[in-house]
Amino acid sequence: MSRNIVIKNRSLFKSKVSKSSLTGEHKYSIGYLDDNFRATDDESEACHCILYNKNNIGRGVQLLGLNDKKTLSLALSMPCTAEDVQMLYETAARVAALWKATSVMIDDQMVDVSELQQYAERDLSLNIEMLKAPSQYTHDGYATLYGAICPVCVSTEQFKSFADDYASFSVFMNDRQQIDAFYSCPYYFKQEEELIAMYVVIEDGYFILPNCPKTVINCADGVKECDRVIIAISDLLPGESTSTMNYNDFVSRLPLDKISVFDCQHQLICPLSKEELIEIFGTQI
C-alpha cells in the first residue's frame, strides 16, 4: 500500500520545484535508488528519486516528475515510520505553498491544504493498524521494505512488536540503513549452458549477504532455477581479474566473529582484509 499526493502548479509563472525547496533548508536529503533499490550515485531518470531524512532514515518519499513545471507527485509506501509520514505531508504543504495551490490530490480525492495535518494523523494511526496485522503484506513470515538507502526485511513478529512501540520501528529502520555496507544482490548470467547467480563481495568494507541466496529467476520463457550460486570479488588473486567460489563454501569459511545479523533474512559481514579473503578463496585451490 502507498499514499500518493499530486500537487498541481497554480502559479502564473510556472517553474519546477528546486531541490532546496524540497529539502527544507537541508532538513531532508535527496538520493537515488538503483533497480535493486540500493542507494546509488547515478541520478539518471532510470533510478528512483527519494526524499529522506539522513538523521532518521526510513522508507523515504519517492519524487515523481521532479523536472515537471506543472505537476509533482509524492509517493510513500506503507507501513512506514512516523517521520516518513511527517515528511510526506510537510513536503506536500511546502510545494503547494510555492505553487499557489490551495488543494492537492491525495490518491483519488481532492483535499484542501488546510486538512493535510488531519490526513497525516490518520496515516499515523493507519500505519500502527498495519503493523498490528502484518499478514496482509507478509509472505513466508516476513516482508521486504524498500527503504531510502537499501531494502530491509522485517518478520511478522517484529511488525507486531513495532505496533506496540511505534517509535522503535523508526529506530530499527534507521539503525539498519545507517550502516555503511555494500548490499549484495544477485547478478544472473549463463556460462556453458549453466545458469549462475553471482553475489559480489568487497575488500576492507562491510557487506550484506542473504541467509539463503536467491536461486530462482523469472525469465522471458518462464521461471528457472539456477544451476550454481557463487561469490565473486575483483582483483584478489594473482592472474585473476575476478575470483569466484561456491556461495555456501564462502559463507562456511567466514570467521564467526565477522558475522552478525542485519535483518531476519540477511547477515552483515564485517570488513575482511585482502589477506583474510585470499585465505578464504585460496582454500579452494
Side-chain angles (χ1 to χ4, degrees):
M1 177 181 176
S2 65
R3 181 69 68 228
N4 300 280
I5 301 180
V6 178
I7 307 109
K8 299 282 188 180
N9 193 342
R10 305 299 183 187
S11 59
L12 182 60
F13 301 102
K14 291 178 171 51
S15 61
K16 64 182 183 181
V17 178
S18 67
K19 288 186 177 181
S20 60
S21 296
L22 289 166
T23 56
E25 297 180 354
H26 307 297
K27 181 177 182 180
Y28 302 127
S29 300
I30 291 178
Y32 295 84
L33 300 177
D34 64 14
D35 54 2
N36 286 307
F37 296 94
R38 303 173 300 182
T40 177
D41 293 329
D42 184 1
E43 298 184 11
S44 69
E45 292 186 1
C47 296
H48 308 276
C49 184
I50 302 292
L51 184 71
Y52 69 101
N53 184 340
K54 62 183 178 182
N55 295 316
N56 203 328
I57 307 172
R59 304 201 67 176
V61 173
Q62 185 173 6
L63 306 172
L64 303 166
L66 195 57
N67 294 317
D68 195 327
K69 296 180 180 180
K70 297 181 180 179
T71 304
L72 179 70
S73 297
L74 311 174
L76 175 61
S77 297
M78 298 184 182
C80 62
T81 69
E83 291 77 14
D84 283 326
V85 173
Q86 178 186 356
M87 178 169 54
L88 173 68
Y89 287 95
E90 184 182 302
T91 303
R94 188 184 307 114
V95 174
L98 287 169
W99 277 0
K100 311 298 182 186
T102 58
S103 60
V104 301
M105 185 72 76
I106 299 181
D107 295 331
D108 58 353
Q109 184 174 359
M110 191 64 72
V111 176
D112 191 278
V113 292
S114 63
E115 299 178 75
L116 288 178
Q117 185 55 39
Q118 296 175 36
Y119 274 78
E121 291 169 2
R122 291 177 193 174
D123 276 350
L124 289 172
S125 298
L126 174 60
N127 271 282
I128 293 173
E129 292 304 312
M130 289 185 71
L131 292 172
K132 289 179 180 178
S135 60
Q136 303 173 48
Y137 48 85
T138 54
H139 180 67
D140 291 335
Y142 75 96
T144 301
L145 303 185
Y146 297 110
I149 300 297
C150 68
V152 179
C153 294
V154 184
S155 70
T156 299
E157 292 74 19
Q158 285 176 303
F159 279 122
K160 291 178 180 178
S161 69
F162 294 144
D164 296 328
D165 183 4
Y166 191 24
S168 66
F169 184 36
S170 299
V171 173
F172 174 78
M173 291 296 292
N174 180 62
D175 284 352
R176 297 301 85 198
Q177 296 183 93
Q178 288 287 0
I179 300 170
D180 184 15
F182 173 69
Y183 193 102
S184 189
C185 292
Y187 169 74
Y188 300 97
F189 65 97
K190 269 197 167 185
Q191 186 178 68
E192 297 178 355
E193 300 306 314
E194 276 192 318
L195 181 60
I196 300 172
M198 180 176 72
Y199 287 82
V200 173
V201 298
I202 59 174
E203 175 190 332
D204 288 328
Y206 288 91
F207 55 91
I208 297 163
L209 292 174
N211 298 339
C212 298
K214 186 177 179 182
T215 60
V216 175
I217 180 174
N218 292 316
C219 302
D221 54 348
V223 177
K224 293 192 174 182
E225 182 83 20
C226 293
D227 297 294
R228 286 193 292 141
V229 183
I230 62 173
I231 290 287
I233 188 170
S234 299
D235 303 319
L236 181 66
L237 299 175
E240 294 183 6
S241 59
T242 302
S243 301
T244 63
M245 70 181 298
N246 176 273
Y247 186 97
N248 291 328
D249 287 346
F250 175 83
V251 172
S252 69
R253 292 168 186 168
L254 289 171
L256 292 179
D257 62 350
K258 295 284 187 176
I259 306 172
S260 61
V261 174
F262 177 74
D263 61 26
C264 66
Q265 297 296 311
H266 294 83
Q267 50 197 326
L268 175 68
I269 313 302
C270 293
L272 295 165
S273 67
K274 185 169 187 174
E275 291 71 25
E276 288 174 312
L277 286 164
I278 287 175
E279 183 176 350
I280 291 171
F281 277 82
T283 56
Q284 65 179 330
I285 298 174

